[in-house]
Amino acid sequence: MAAITPATIFPNLTSDGTNITIPITDLAGLTAAEVDPSTGNGAELLRIICETAYTKINALDTANQPTQMRWSKPPAQGITAGVNRQDYTFGFNYSVDATAVNMVAEA
């Protein structure tokens, strides 16, 4: 199984070693208004990040999917007329020592 890179999930992600930048184009359905730091919708940003991560990882061929994490997205639940709830679950295998917490390496 292959380790996924950040670019697997966010193809246009960049990093300068201090900050990461994920272009809105990597987050389908998100608008500039929703990510405005002062007036945007943080919950919508998180929802789209989860949806993007789930969709990209789940679309990988089985041989390229990570084995040291799990992901699931059960069917959406109808809450009231016109309102649904979508749950996402991500689980990670990690090791802990006296100085750090680290993802378990892919085999």
Side-chain angles (χ1 to χ4, degrees), residues 94-104:
Y94 63 93
S95 63
V96 180
D97 64 31
T99 61
V101 174
N102 296 293
M103 284 290 300
V104 173

Side-chain angles (χ1 to χ4, degrees), residues 18-96:
T18 301
N19 300 296
I20 61 169
T21 300
I22 301 170
I24 294 172
T25 56
D26 279 3
L27 300 164
L30 199 63
T31 67
E34 289 167 333
V35 297
D36 183 284
S38 300
T39 61
N41 186 336
E44 180 64 356
L45 173 61
L46 289 173
R47 185 187 74 78
I48 294 291
I49 288 172
C50 289
E51 177 64 24
T52 300
Y54 173 84
T55 299
K56 295 287 181 121
I57 295 166
N58 205 52
L60 295 171
D61 292 334
T62 301
N64 293 320
Q65 290 179 345
T67 60
Q68 299 301 324
M69 67 177 286
R70 295 181 308 160
W71 58 98
S72 64
K73 176 185 167 186
Q77 298 174 333
I79 303 301
T80 60
V83 177
N84 291 335
R85 174 178 293 132
Q86 182 64 64
D87 292 326
Y88 298 86
T89 301
F90 294 92
F92 304 91
N93 297 345
Y94 63 93
S95 63
V96 180

